[in-house]
Amino acid sequence: MSDDRYSSDVLAGYSKRTPRQAARAVEAVRDLVIEETATGFCGAVLRVEGRLVHLEDYRGAVRVFPLGPGFLLEGEPVQLTLPSRAPAGTARSASGSFAVADVKARVARASRIFVEGRHDAELVEKVWGHDLRVEGVVVEYLEGVDDLESIVASFSPRADRRIGVLVDHLVPGSKESRIADAVARGRHGSHVLVVGHPFVDIWQAVKPARVGLTAWPEIPRSVEWKHGICEALGWPHEEQADVARAWQRILGRVSTFADLEPVLLGRVEQLIDFVTDDATRG
């Protein structure tokens, strides 16, 4: 037996015909972060439609690619496949929480969540409706927050009868912030939570990419915001019915929490936690 370590043929057993190992199959499940090799586009799986996968990057841009090979997962070549049916009990609701199957809506709690308008209520219902029914939380809309102090006083909140309020354009120095501060300082303040988002209107809480925009248009303060948005997008805007149709068009692009800006997600979850706190359970 030779002890010459250089005597063996280093090419022994090598063949150019040696087949490559097939890339392992990975299911295109929602939120899987993947890179498409041809373009370098990296994003999370948003949804699968037919044999196409929709990926969303961190800026909200969405690209569509065919399922199959040509992807990298943490640097490893993989081929994306159709996601299998989720096992019973692991389905997710539109808000991202675990969906509870075969459960009746809970009897409504005394506590309430108030939002400013109909569009706010419809968006909350679409994304968090399952969670709210399981918890027995009713959402009502106020048609503005100008009378919030009197509404709170009339409701007479207490430890087992809380109010959560979602406010548009809650930024320092705004009218909304002054109203929220006054409620917090009031005699019912410990049983009321007012939170908000910085957007002029709830429409802006929908990621602009969902309606084909890179950003929502800037509207002069002299122009009614919703009408200005419709005009900027080239949509009819002369009548209130036009604005209503525009909102339904936007709302139709929302399927889950991933279609909304994170700042809104956190505030709504905060309100649900507040009004379903153990102190409110009877």
Side-chain angles (χ1 to χ4, degrees):
M1 186 173 185
S2 172
D3 59 357
D4 184 355
R5 60 176 174 170
Y6 301 109
S7 63
S8 61
D9 183 358
V10 297
L11 297 180
Y14 172 79
S15 170
K16 289 191 291 185
R17 294 185 179 181
T18 301
R20 291 183 180 179
Q21 184 177 2
R24 72 181 177 97
V26 174
E27 293 184 5
V29 295
R30 188 177 179 86
D31 297 330
L32 177 73
V33 177
I34 204 86
E35 179 182 347
E36 202 275 332
T37 55
T39 62
F41 185 86
C42 184
V45 173
L46 193 61
R47 60 184 175 274
V48 174
E49 294 179 347
R51 297 291 304 176
L52 300 176
V53 59
H54 295 240
L55 301 182
E56 179 185 36
D57 71 8
Y58 72 96
R59 294 184 297 267
V62 177
R63 298 279 296 276
V64 181
F65 302 98
L67 292 171
F71 297 92
L72 296 176
L73 176 61
E74 298 180 350
E76 175 194 356
V78 297
Q79 54 179 324
L80 287 184
T81 63
L82 285 169
S84 59
R85 193 182 184 96
T90 62
R92 296 275 184 170
S93 70
S95 71
S97 64
F98 286 107
V100 182
D102 301 323
V103 64
K104 293 182 179 179
R106 175 176 173 155
V107 175
R109 295 172 182 268
S111 299
R112 292 287 185 274
I113 290 178
F114 290 114
V115 296
E116 284 207 51
R118 181 185 297 275
H119 295 176
D120 307 69
E122 289 175 343
L123 185 61
V124 169
E125 163 60 28
K126 185 159 190 180
V127 176
W128 287 274
H130 171 83
D131 308 58
L132 294 168
R133 282 185 287 278
V134 168
E135 293 289 352
V137 177
V138 174
V139 175
E140 301 181 14
Y141 64 92
L142 303 169
E143 298 184 351
V145 294
D146 289 357
D147 297 324
L148 183 58
E149 288 185 79
S150 62
I151 291 171
V152 168
S154 176
F155 190 85
S156 297
R158 54 182 186 264
D160 61 345
R161 182 182 165 84
R162 294 183 172 186
I163 296 178
V165 186
L166 180 68
V167 177
D168 297 341
H169 198 232
L170 191 61
V171 296
S174 66
K175 173 192 70 175
E176 291 82 1
S177 67
R178 291 192 293 272
I179 293 172
D181 290 343
V183 170
R185 292 193 305 267
R187 68 189 185 94
H188 299 295
S190 60
H191 306 309
V192 180
L193 176 64
V194 182
V195 300
H197 54 75
F199 309 119
V200 174
D201 192 275
I202 197 67
W203 290 19
Q204 286 181 298
V206 178
K207 290 180 178 177
R210 298 300 181 269
V211 289
L213 301 172
T214 56
W216 287 96
E218 294 288 336
I219 306 301
R221 296 185 65 177
S222 59
V223 177
E224 200 282 325
W225 193 85
K226 289 186 175 76
H227 287 267
I229 287 293
C230 292
E231 184 175 14
L233 296 178
W235 297 350
H237 58 281
E238 297 300 326
E239 301 178 358
Q240 188 58 35
D242 295 327
V243 175
R245 282 189 288 270
W247 167 241
Q248 291 306 314
R249 184 173 180 177
I250 295 168
L251 186 63
R253 304 294 180 89
V254 175
S255 299
T256 72
F257 71 98
D259 300 318
L260 304 180
E261 297 290 357
V263 67
L264 176 68
L265 303 178
R267 301 292 75 77
V268 175
E269 296 289 347
Q270 186 180 3
L271 290 177
I272 294 174
D273 288 345
F274 180 77
V275 299
T276 59
D277 184 85
D278 286 342
T280 71
R281 297 181 186 272

